[in-house]
Amino acid sequence: MRRLAFYRRPHNSTGFKESVVRMLGKRPTTGLELAEHFGMRLPEFNKKIYQVLIDTKVVKVVATEWAEKEGIRDRIYSIERKAKRLIPPRPKKTIPISLKSLDSITNGMKQKHIDAAKRRAKLIASGEYRDWMD
């Protein structure tokens, strides 16, 4: 199954940010047009848009200064940085499989296993490694 991009997964905004980013990806848009699209009034939209204007690692939405047109104060919103996928880093911890393996890590066995792996890598590279040698 295909994984959804992290900027498309539902969060507290319940898809509001995703919808705004999708609309702004086409062209810069005024707040009034966005408010009409979402079926809300402009003051209500202006309160909610602050969630989207916060700069994140995924996407950056910017707004111009307030401008008054026909008695309505409005802004033009656009995307400064396109949306991208973010994949969280894998944890760097080793996973203990059994209690015995957990004990062997503390007794300096880790370095012994690393050295043995290096020896095996050299033997494999030279073509002299046999499974029954270890």
Side-chain angles (χ1 to χ4, degrees), residues 7-125:
Y7 63 88
R8 292 204 174 163
R9 293 192 180 175
H11 296 287
N12 292 339
S13 60
T14 62
F16 179 74
K17 184 174 185 176
E18 177 190 349
S19 299
V20 169
V21 169
R22 192 180 311 123
M23 285 192 65
L24 294 177
K26 299 173 187 170
R27 64 181 176 87
T29 312
T30 64
L32 190 59
E33 292 172 353
L34 289 169
E36 286 175 4
H37 173 75
F38 290 111
M40 54 177 75
R41 297 179 323 140
L42 187 60
E44 194 178 328
F45 174 78
N46 287 335
K47 287 180 184 176
K48 198 165 184 176
I49 194 70
Y50 283 111
Q51 302 169 16
V52 179
L53 292 177
I54 296 170
D55 186 22
T56 62
K57 294 179 182 178
V58 177
V59 68
K60 184 175 183 182
V61 177
V62 292
T64 61
E65 293 295 322
W66 291 102
E68 193 164 330
K69 185 177 179 184
E70 300 172 5
I72 299 171
R73 287 185 59 195
D74 201 1
R75 295 173 135 178
I76 296 176
Y77 299 95
S78 62
I79 293 180
E80 189 172 298
R81 187 176 62 232
K82 295 266 183 181
K84 61 180 178 180
R85 288 183 185 215
L86 285 181
I87 300 171
R90 291 183 169 214
K92 305 223 184 234
K93 296 180 181 178
T94 57
I95 300 170
I97 296 170
S98 66
L99 291 175
K100 185 177 179 182
S101 67
L102 188 60
D103 289 338
S104 67
I105 291 173
T106 58
N107 295 336
M109 294 298 285
K110 185 176 182 180
Q111 189 60 41
K112 182 180 172 188
H113 292 309
I114 290 171
D115 294 338
K118 287 180 183 177
R119 260 193 335 271
R120 277 194 305 274
K122 286 180 186 176
L123 290 171
I124 289 169

